[in-house]
Amino acid sequence: MAELSLDAFVDANNILSTGDSYFQFNAEEHQRIIQNQPWKEDPHYFKSAKISALALLKMVMHAQSGGNIEIMGLMVGKIDGHSIVVMDSFALPVEGTETRVNANLAAYEYMVNFQNNAKLVGREENVVGWYHSHPGYGCWLSGIDVTTQMNNQQYQDPFIAIVVDPIRTITSGKVDLGAFRTYPENFEFSEGGPSRYQSIPLHKIEDFGVHCKQYYSLDVSYFRSSYDDKLLNTLWKQYRINSLSSNSQSTNQTYVSNQIQDLSCKLSKLQEHQTHREECNKIAKDGTKTAIEALGGIMSGMFKDKVFNVRS
């Protein structure tokens, strides 16, 4: 049963089985790339992020443990051509809020100790990025996130930012995740917004719109190999217990209510300003998405009720 559930998770997120080469670290090749720094000449040098299933599951579990509070962690991995490969991730001891999360001095000290201890046990990978959660409002970079990522790229590049939405992950059954890199400070931004449509709450649209041209999205893919299968299976059992013991309908009740209220506010704004037809289509798309998510929570609750609540 656990294996079947893991297979469903793998299929839903298109996690590909690969050889063990992704987990092999070439120190000389890494040093050569660091010295050449090709991303300094081409701001779009990195095209994709390849994330191990183990790192993905650890990030999702960490994000879901925070509930409506943002969490933060770091990722270790390597560079593979125009891709950043994330092999593992670890949580940082930071205090977040429902709208932001920042690393403090204790978190940076924890990060340094973690890296030093990893080297002692033969882990040669380096920190290649940070991740945090956006509970219920999608995967994009806020103004604070953009500043944080710019600083990271300035002082410890190559570095990527990953955002996970645990609420939308629960409602859809598929991990809602985005990977990003910021442009240099004096970069001339191209016209137009992000290429992928984002469902952004009304109270976040201004923050999103002001900063959306300061970064770009990377293609994201997931992989697994024999190196992480044993640990992945062990971790999956805990994730599955957490999923089965939760009620998607009640867990996401506040989220769905907020989505409906947000749609109502957007419709009212449309009527006041007689906005373009394209905006109407976006609201219709958001409404359909919200209805599907609410229905998914109801169906999940009914399924668990049938399986676990045996009636005489």
Side-chain angles (χ1 to χ4, degrees), residues 170-298:
I170 292 174
T171 56
S172 68
K174 180 180 179 180
V175 178
D176 192 7
L177 179 149
F180 311 96
R181 276 181 60 83
T182 52
Y183 293 118
E185 190 172 353
N186 298 321
F187 184 76
E188 294 184 5
F189 307 117
S190 59
E191 292 298 323
S195 58
R196 184 169 68 95
Y197 170 67
Q198 288 270 22
S199 177
I200 309 294
L202 189 61
H203 68 284
K204 295 285 187 180
I205 284 180
E206 183 177 355
D207 191 19
F208 171 76
V210 169
H211 303 285
C212 67
K213 294 182 181 180
Q214 294 180 276
Y215 61 90
Y216 70 96
S217 301
L218 285 76
D219 294 330
V220 178
S221 60
Y222 309 112
F223 67 92
R224 62 185 295 193
S225 75
S226 61
Y227 279 1
D228 61 353
D229 268 355
K230 186 173 182 179
L231 188 54
L232 179 64
N233 286 321
T234 302
L235 196 62
W236 176 260
K237 292 177 182 178
Q238 181 60 49
Y239 177 77
R240 183 167 171 269
I241 291 172
N242 294 342
S243 299
L244 289 174
S245 61
S246 66
N247 186 322
S248 298
Q249 186 178 357
S250 61
T251 301
N252 300 321
Q253 186 174 7
T254 302
Y255 166 70
V256 173
S257 298
N258 289 340
Q259 289 292 95
I260 295 173
Q261 184 179 7
D262 185 66
L263 288 171
S264 176
C265 293
K266 288 179 179 177
L267 284 171
S268 298
K269 192 174 180 180
L270 273 182
Q271 293 175 344
E272 292 174 4
H273 299 89
Q274 296 182 349
T275 315
H276 194 271
R277 184 181 182 87
E278 182 181 347
E279 296 300 318
C280 295
N281 293 333
K282 290 180 179 179
I283 293 176
K285 186 181 295 185
D286 288 349
T288 301
K289 179 175 177 291
T290 300
I292 292 173
E293 289 171 345
L295 182 60
I298 293 172

Side-chain angles (χ1 to χ4, degrees), residues 16-192:
L16 303 178
S17 295
T18 65
D20 296 333
S21 59
Y22 273 151
F23 286 89
Q24 295 174 359
F25 185 83
N26 188 322
E28 292 183 1
E29 178 66 15
H30 176 78
Q31 192 60 37
R32 185 188 66 79
I33 295 175
I34 295 299
Q35 289 177 348
N36 293 335
Q37 296 185 324
W39 50 86
K40 295 289 186 182
E41 302 296 329
D42 179 12
H44 288 98
Y45 177 80
F46 291 109
K47 304 292 193 298
S48 64
K50 300 176 180 179
I51 305 173
S52 74
L54 177 63
L56 175 66
L57 189 57
K58 288 173 70 174
M59 286 189 283
V60 170
M61 292 179 68
H62 184 202
Q64 290 182 355
S65 70
N68 291 323
I69 303 299
E70 289 193 15
I71 54 84
M72 180 179 175
L74 291 175
M75 303 170 294
V76 294
K78 65 176 185 177
I79 309 305
D80 181 26
H82 293 274
S83 301
I84 294 180
V85 180
V86 177
M87 303 180 193
D88 201 357
S89 63
F90 61 95
L92 284 178
V94 298
E95 292 184 3
T97 68
E98 293 186 1
T99 57
R100 66 183 61 182
V101 61
N102 287 312
N104 51 29
L105 184 60
Y108 284 113
E109 183 179 353
Y110 180 91
M111 177 182 68
V112 172
N113 290 334
F114 182 94
Q115 288 181 278
N116 291 337
N117 291 331
K119 299 294 184 184
L120 292 176
V121 296
R123 294 290 297 271
E124 300 182 39
E125 305 89 10
N126 298 281
V127 173
V128 293
W130 68 296
Y131 70 89
H132 71 291
S133 62
H134 278 184
Y137 52 96
C139 299
W140 47 280
L141 297 185
S142 67
I144 294 176
D145 299 337
V146 167
T147 301
T148 300
Q149 179 60 18
M150 280 184 170
N151 289 334
N152 285 329
Q153 288 183 206
Q154 182 178 359
Y155 296 109
Q156 48 186 343
D157 225 9
F159 218 80
I160 60 171
I162 281 182
V163 182
V164 183
D165 188 331
I167 306 298
R168 294 185 179 182
T169 295
I170 292 174
T171 56
S172 68
K174 180 180 179 180
V175 178
D176 192 7
L177 179 149
F180 311 96
R181 276 181 60 83
T182 52
Y183 293 118
E185 190 172 353
N186 298 321
F187 184 76
E188 294 184 5
F189 307 117
S190 59
E191 292 298 323

